[in-house]
Amino acid sequence: MLNSKNKTLTVSSIIILIFLMLPLLLVIITSFNNEESISIPIKGFTLSWYANIFQQPDFISGFKSSLLVAIVASLSALIVGIPAVYALTRFKITHKSWFQSFFLSPTLIPEIVIGFALYQAAVITLRLPVLLSLLIGHFLLCLPYVIRLITANMLLLDKSIEEAAWISGCSPRRGFFFIVLPNIKTSIIAAFMICFINSFNNIPISLFMNGPSITMLPPAILNYLQNNYDPTVSAISVVLMIFTALMMFLAEKIIGLNKLTMRSK
C-alpha cells in the first residue's frame, strides 16, 4: 500500500514538473527560430534574435532602470524591515499583531490595485517624480518578503546569545550589529534575492509607473510585443531566466542556501 502511494506521488510530481517546465522549454526553442514569427516547430536555427536584443534601446534602458529600482527597493526594504522585525520579536509592543498585519498587508492587495492607487496618489495628486513613485511601489512589494523571512529566522535565534553578550559588556546596539545580524545573515541574503527577483520582474506596478522619463524592462517587453511578434521576446525571456539562475548559483556558492533550510530544522 505504501509503495502504491509512493508511485502515485512520483507520477503526480513528474506530471506537475512537466507542466511547469514545458512552457519554459518552448520559449527556449522558439528563441532560436530563424523565421520572423514565434512558431513551433522551428524551421531553422539562428542567434540573430539574441543580437536583436541589444539593438533595442528600450530594452537596454529598461534593464538599467529595472536593475536600479530592484536594488534600491530591496535594500530599502531590508533597512526598514530588519529593525521592525527585531522590535516585533524582541520587545513587548502594544498591538503587536496589528503591526505584523500592517507590514504584511501589501500581500493581501492585488499588485495592479497597488500600482493604480500609487499612480493616483503619488503621480497625479502629489506630483512626485516617476522614479520616486516606482521606488515606493517596489518597496511596498518587497517589504512583506523581508518581514516574513527575517521573522522566521529571528524566532529561531536564541535570545540567550544576546543576553550573554550584554552580560559580557556588549551594548544592545553593538549586540545587534555583531551578534544578531551575523546569525541571520542567510535569511537577509535570501530576502534580498527574493525581493530583487520579484521587483525586477514586476509588471503591474512598473506598468502604471512607466513614463517618458524612465522605462522599466517588463513594460518595454510588453510594448515591443504589441508591435512585433518575432522571437526577440523569447530570446530576452531566456536571457532573464539565465540571469535569475545565475543569481541563485552565485548565492549558493557564496552562502549556501541549504544553510537556511538546515537552520530552520
Side-chain angles (χ1 to χ4, degrees), residues 89-100:
T89 55
R90 288 292 187 263
F91 303 136
K92 293 182 179 180
I93 299 176
T94 307
H95 304 300
K96 180 184 296 187
S97 60
W98 186 90
F99 283 103
Q100 291 175 339

Side-chain angles (χ1 to χ4, degrees), residues 17 59 82 96 112-114 131 135 147 151 191 202 210 220 246:
L17 183 63
F59 287 171
I82 294 175
K96 180 184 296 187
I112 192 168
V113 176
I114 296 176
L131 179 59
L135 291 174
I147 298 294
T151 298
N202 179 267
N210 208 44
L246 182 62

Side-chain angles (χ1 to χ4, degrees), residues 118-119 121-123 127-139 205 209:
L118 281 173
Y119 175 76
V123 178
R127 299 186 180 276
L128 296 178
V130 175
L131 179 59
L132 179 58
S133 303
L134 267 170
L135 291 174
I136 294 173
H138 283 250
F139 167 79
I205 296 176
M209 300 298 174

Side-chain angles (χ1 to χ4, degrees), residues 16-216:
I16 294 173
L17 183 63
I18 291 174
F19 273 104
L20 291 174
M21 298 303 296
L22 184 59
L24 300 180
L25 182 62
L26 293 178
V27 170
I28 295 172
I29 293 174
T30 56
S31 69
F32 298 107
N33 192 5
N34 64 353
E35 293 201 351
E36 295 185 355
S37 62
I38 300 174
S39 59
I40 293 289
I42 62 175
K43 301 298 179 62
F45 182 89
T46 182
L47 294 174
S48 61
W49 305 116
Y50 287 89
N52 190 43
I53 295 174
F54 302 96
Q55 298 174 3
Q56 306 298 322
D58 286 347
F59 287 171
I60 303 300
S61 61
F63 177 83
K64 293 178 181 178
S65 300
S66 294
L67 187 65
L68 173 64
V69 170
I71 292 175
V72 175
S74 300
L75 291 176
S76 301
L78 287 174
I79 292 173
V80 173
I82 294 175
V85 169
Y86 184 81
L88 290 172
T89 55
R90 288 292 187 263
F91 303 136
K92 293 182 179 180
I93 299 176
T94 307
H95 304 300
K96 180 184 296 187
S97 60
W98 186 90
F99 283 103
Q100 291 175 339
S101 301
F102 173 77
F103 283 120
L104 297 176
S105 60
T107 59
L108 304 176
I109 305 172
E111 291 179 13
I112 192 168
V113 176
I114 296 176
F116 178 73
L118 281 173
Y119 175 76
Q120 290 289 333
V123 178
I124 302 299
T125 304
L126 300 177
R127 299 186 180 276
L128 296 178
V130 175
L131 179 59
L132 179 58
S133 303
L134 267 170
L135 291 174
I136 294 173
H138 283 250
F139 167 79
L140 294 176
L141 174 70
C142 295
L143 186 60
Y145 295 104
V146 174
I147 298 294
R148 286 182 175 181
L149 285 171
I150 305 299
T151 298
N153 211 349
M154 280 295 300
L155 293 175
L156 294 173
L157 181 62
D158 191 354
K159 189 178 179 180
S160 61
I161 299 176
E162 291 181 78
E163 293 175 349
W166 298 342
I167 294 172
S168 301
C170 182
S171 66
R173 181 180 297 178
R174 288 178 59 86
F176 175 77
F177 285 102
F178 293 100
I179 303 297
V180 176
L181 291 184
N183 278 279
I184 62 171
K185 177 183 68 175
T186 52
S187 62
I188 291 175
I189 298 177
F192 176 83
M193 287 179 51
I194 293 176
C195 291
F196 179 88
I197 293 172
N198 279 277
S199 175
F200 188 86
N201 296 311
N202 179 267
I203 294 178
I205 296 176
S206 300
L207 191 61
F208 276 103
M209 300 298 174
N210 208 44
S213 60
I214 184 170
T215 301
M216 301 292 284

